């Protein structure tokens, strides 16, 4: 199993540009989520999904959209990038009823 | 709501020194508690967990005991190695919710 994969690893955007961060898992996990990691603030939940077709907002959803058309994929869209969205983004998944989350390697995003 | 507070870093130790990273939590129910580790340039990996009061999680020489009376889950290791240099995150999970993370503690171990 590849586990949780994320692309790209690193991206530079200009303010106002849009892009999609990709996340995929091959463990057939129902739950998937997106976090952003900022210095001194730990990981903050952006959006999450409890299954295909179902998404919900986390702690810091503004400026981001998600969709979950398949169990495997959970892309994160930045509609109009802002410098405040410079961060490291992690995707995670877990099995329904189990506590342990599995994290992808992260995407480092720089918005100029 | 749920929250996790952990000691700020960085923590700098010499090889073979003892390590303690403090973690306290606030939760409405009976959460499961976790320590995740992030090595340089990588994502988070589960280090250990405990699911009920007085449980002790352990892995790779690290230990943490779920203390309900003090709402704590401190991470300990008796003798750290250079390879333990990483960022450590304490986290909690309550059924029906998502993981709540602390701010992370960077550990640097010098030879």
């Amino acid at each position: 199993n590849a586990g949780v994969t994320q692309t790209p690893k690193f991206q530079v955007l200009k303010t106002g540009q849009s892009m999609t961060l990709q996340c995929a898992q091959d463990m057939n996990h129902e739950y998937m989520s997106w976090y952003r990691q900022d210095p001194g603030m730990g990981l903050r939940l952006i959006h999450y999904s409890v299954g295909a077709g179902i998404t919900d907002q986390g702690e810091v959803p503004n400026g981001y959209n998600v969709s979950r058309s398949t169990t495997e994929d959970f892309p994160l869209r930045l509609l109009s990038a802002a410098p405040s969205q410079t961060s490291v983004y992690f995707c995670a998944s877990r099995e329904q009823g189990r506590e342990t989350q599995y994290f992808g390697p992260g995407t480092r995003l720089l918005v100029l | 709501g749920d929250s996790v507070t952990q000691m700020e870093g960085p923590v700098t130790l010499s090889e073979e020194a003892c390590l303690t990273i403090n973690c306290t939590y606030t939760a409405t129910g009976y959460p499961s508690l976790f320590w995740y580790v992030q090595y340089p340039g990588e994502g988070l990996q589960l280090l250990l967990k405990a699911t009920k009061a007085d449980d002790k999680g352990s892995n790779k020489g690290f230990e943490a005991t779920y203390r309900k009376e003090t709402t704590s889950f401190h991470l300990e290791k008796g003798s750290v190695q250079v390879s333990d240099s990483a960022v450590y995150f304490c986290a909690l999970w309550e059924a029906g919710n998502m993981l709540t993370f602390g701010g992370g503690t960077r550990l640097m171990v010098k030879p």
Side-chain angles (χ1 to χ4, degrees):
Chain A
N1 287 353
V4 181
T5 58
Q6 293 182 236
T7 57
K9 289 186 177 180
F10 181 70
Q11 182 73 45
V12 179
L13 292 178
K14 294 181 180 179
T15 297
Q17 287 185 315
S18 62
M19 79 159 294
T20 299
L21 280 63
Q22 301 291 344
C23 173
Q25 52 91 10
D26 61 359
M27 297 174 281
N28 203 33
H29 287 171
E30 295 88 352
Y31 285 71
M32 296 186 74
S33 50
W34 277 102
Y35 295 86
R36 59 178 289 173
Q37 181 183 25
D38 301 297
M41 301 187 73
L43 277 74
R44 294 182 292 170
L45 182 65
I46 304 172
H47 284 285
Y48 65 97
S49 169
V50 299
I54 306 169
T55 63
D56 206 346
Q57 297 181 351
E59 182 184 356
V60 288
N62 292 341
Y64 307 94
N65 272 0
V66 292
S67 60
R68 185 95 180 270
S69 56
T70 66
T71 299
E72 294 79 17
D73 300 300
F74 191 45
L76 178 72
R77 297 183 189 85
L78 279 70
L79 307 173
S80 177
S84 61
Q85 293 178 304
T86 292
S87 188
V88 182
Y89 292 85
F90 288 100
C91 180
S93 73
R94 70 175 174 88
E95 198 175 343
Q96 186 177 7
R98 306 293 293 269
E99 310 111 330
T100 303
Q101 288 210 81
Y102 297 85
F103 286 82
T107 294
R108 187 174 296 273
L109 177 67
L110 175 62
V111 183
L112 301 175
Chain B
D2 295 348
S3 67
V4 177
T5 303
Q6 52 182 117
M7 60 190 293
E8 291 191 19
V11 174
T12 304
L13 296 173
S14 297
E15 207 165 22
E16 299 185 2
C18 295
L19 169 71
T20 299
I21 300 178
N22 291 336
C23 171
T24 57
Y25 68 90
T26 303
T28 53
Y30 301 94
S32 296
L33 301 174
F34 306 83
W35 277 101
Y36 280 83
V37 58
Q38 183 182 27
Y39 297 107
E42 299 183 10
L44 278 72
Q45 305 173 22
L46 179 65
L47 179 61
L48 54 84
K49 68 177 183 181
T51 58
K52 61 183 187 296
D54 299 326
D55 268 2
K56 178 185 284 187
S58 61
N59 186 24
K60 298 182 181 180
F62 291 90
E63 293 183 339
T65 301
Y66 190 144
R67 301 286 187 199
K68 189 170 184 294
E69 64 275 14
T70 55
T71 61
S72 65
F73 193 55
H74 305 322
L75 182 68
E76 299 176 328
K77 187 174 186 181
S79 176
V80 294
Q81 306 299 313
V82 172
S83 57
D84 294 326
S85 297
V87 181
Y88 293 82
F89 292 93
C90 187
L92 72 80
W93 179 79
E94 289 197 89
N97 295 335
M98 303 302 289
L99 269 179
T100 300
F101 286 90
T105 302
R106 181 177 299 278
L107 170 66
M108 297 190 300
V109 181
K110 296 184 176 181

